[in-house]
């Protein structure tokens, strides 16, 4: 392992310079992957835009019943026409989601903590690869806790899932978690996103922060951004616009869609930003027109 002393600060990100190994495939860092993996990635990242609107409703895996998600069977199907990917647990998928839909599926495969714990950073791999195959999922999501108590076990979980996914052509989505001791700074996210990508995850999920464009530039796989806590709709659209403008490959948004007073209209407005180049203001106007 390299000596930690005397490290130079990374600074040459070449922001704005295109990724050099893109080839002819729309997903960053995926040009050298096998056909099955690329096909699944194409269910996630639209071949026309290279981007994705993922709808996250996996919160129950540690939060239990959450405002806006009390009835998955009623809430989620209405949103499915407007999102590219459903990010959820296998319990939610099998019980509440009709299989007759064309959305991609990002399956939450790690778990082990609950809102009752002080330290949420301890998880295990909770889903066998055989069940992910049976559900025909398009990627498997694993939580990572870089810098937290559960760092080692979460990187072990990530490795196990990536190894299994490589065997069967299923991409892994490495989720960079934030916690009480993990600052939401570009320094932290540069460290964590790069570790997760270099471990072999084909997609990284993280949060917005300062110098987000540098985080994107330094990460050799696509970054999707979590929405985080509920914001007013115009601010959530600004968040989406800011990260897309700076190179995010999409959003993985939950509460800012399902806790909106108008979730279906909000999903459509987010879609305009991600896939159609709308600015935040244009998308908010579109949202306003839809709800009135
Ligand atoms: C991930 O860790 C969570 O379970 C959610 O998938 C994630 O936080 C995205 O949802 P939200 O936009 O509500 O933060």
């Amino acid at each position: 392992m390299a000596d930690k002393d005397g490290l130079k600060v990374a600074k040459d990100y070449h922001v704005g310079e295109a990724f050099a190994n893109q080839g002819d495939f729309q997903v960053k860092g995926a040009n050298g992957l096998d056909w099955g993996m690329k096909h699944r990635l194409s269910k996630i990242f639209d071949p026309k835009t290279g981007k994705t609107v993922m709808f996250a409703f996996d919160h129950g895996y540690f939060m239990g019943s959450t405002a806006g998600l009390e009835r998955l069977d009623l809430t989620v199907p209405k949103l499915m026409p407007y999102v590219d990917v459903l990010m959820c647990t296998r319990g939610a998928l099998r019980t509440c989601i009709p299989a007759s839909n064309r959305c991609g599926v990002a399956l939450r495969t790690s778990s082990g903590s609950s809102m009752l714990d002080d330290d949420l950073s301890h998880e295990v791999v909770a889903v066998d690869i055989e069940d992910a195959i049976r559900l025909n999922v398009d990627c498997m999501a694993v939580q990572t806790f870089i810098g937290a108590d559960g760092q080692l076990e979460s990187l072990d979980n990530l490795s196990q899932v990536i190894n299994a996914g490589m065997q069967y052509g299923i991409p892994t989505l490495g989720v960079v978690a934030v916690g009480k001791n993990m600052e939401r700074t570009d320094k932290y996210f540069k460290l964590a996103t790069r570790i997760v990508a270099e471990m072999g995850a084909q997609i990284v999920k993280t949060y917005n922060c300062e110098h987000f464009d540098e985080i994107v530039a330094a990460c050799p796989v696509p970054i999707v951004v979590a929405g985080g806590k509920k914001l007013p709709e115009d601010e959530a659209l600004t968040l989406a616009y800011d990260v897309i403008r700076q190179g995010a490959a999409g959003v993985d948004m939950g509460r800012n869609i399902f806790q909106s007073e108008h979730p279906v209209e909000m999903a459509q407005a987010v879609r305009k930003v991600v896939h159609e180049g709308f600015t935040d203001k244009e998308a908010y106007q579109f949202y306003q027109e839809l709800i009135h």
Side-chain angles (χ1 to χ4, degrees), residues 64-196:
S65 174
T66 312
L69 291 183
E70 294 87 347
R71 290 287 302 268
L72 295 170
D73 59 318
L74 301 179
T75 304
V76 180
K78 286 188 243 169
L79 289 160
M80 292 190 318
Y82 308 106
V83 300
D84 300 302
V85 177
L86 306 174
M87 178 171 182
C88 58
T89 61
R90 63 177 165 182
L93 197 61
R94 281 207 169 92
T95 57
C96 301
I97 311 304
S100 53
N101 78 78
R102 300 182 67 85
C103 294
V105 173
L107 183 70
R108 161 87 37 205
T109 54
S110 64
S111 78
S113 297
S114 84
M115 287 305 273
L116 300 176
D117 299 327
D118 279 339
D119 178 1
L120 292 171
S121 76
H122 298 283
E123 295 197 348
V124 295
V125 176
V127 179
D128 289 341
I129 186 70
E130 288 79 7
D131 208 30
I133 295 168
R134 200 174 291 120
L135 285 164
N136 199 29
V137 305
D138 299 293
C139 72
M140 301 178 286
V142 182
Q143 209 76 359
T144 63
F145 304 95
I146 312 293
D149 228 28
Q151 171 177 295
L152 174 62
E153 65 211 57
S154 75
L155 292 182
D156 184 36
N157 297 340
L158 180 69
S159 306
Q160 287 179 45
V161 172
I162 292 170
N163 287 333
M166 290 307 294
Q167 216 174 339
Y168 295 102
I170 304 182
T172 298
L173 165 62
V175 180
V176 172
V178 284
K180 54 185 176 188
N181 298 323
M182 295 173 270
E183 318 153 20
R184 293 185 182 223
T185 60
D186 61 313
K187 189 175 169 208
Y188 174 69
F189 288 128
K190 276 172 189 154
L191 172 81
T193 56
R194 185 64 175 260
I195 289 175
V196 170

Side-chain angles (χ1 to χ4, degrees), residues 10 25 35 44 53 64 71 82 91-92 173 190 229 240 274-275 290:
F25 191 60
W35 196 94
I44 298 171
V53 176
R71 290 287 302 268
Y82 308 106
L173 165 62
K190 276 172 189 154
K229 68 171 191 228
V274 172
H275 286 301
L290 285 180

Side-chain angles (χ1 to χ4, degrees), residues 33-71:
L33 296 176
D34 190 34
W35 196 94
M37 188 80 90
K38 283 179 160 171
H39 191 61
R40 285 190 162 99
L41 287 167
S42 292
K43 296 256 316 270
I44 298 171
F45 298 99
D46 187 323
K48 290 197 205 88
T49 65
K51 299 205 164 55
T52 188
V53 176
M54 301 177 86
F55 174 50
F57 55 97
D58 58 333
H59 303 59
Y61 100 91
F62 73 104
M63 293 170 97
S65 174
T66 312
L69 291 183
E70 294 87 347
R71 290 287 302 268

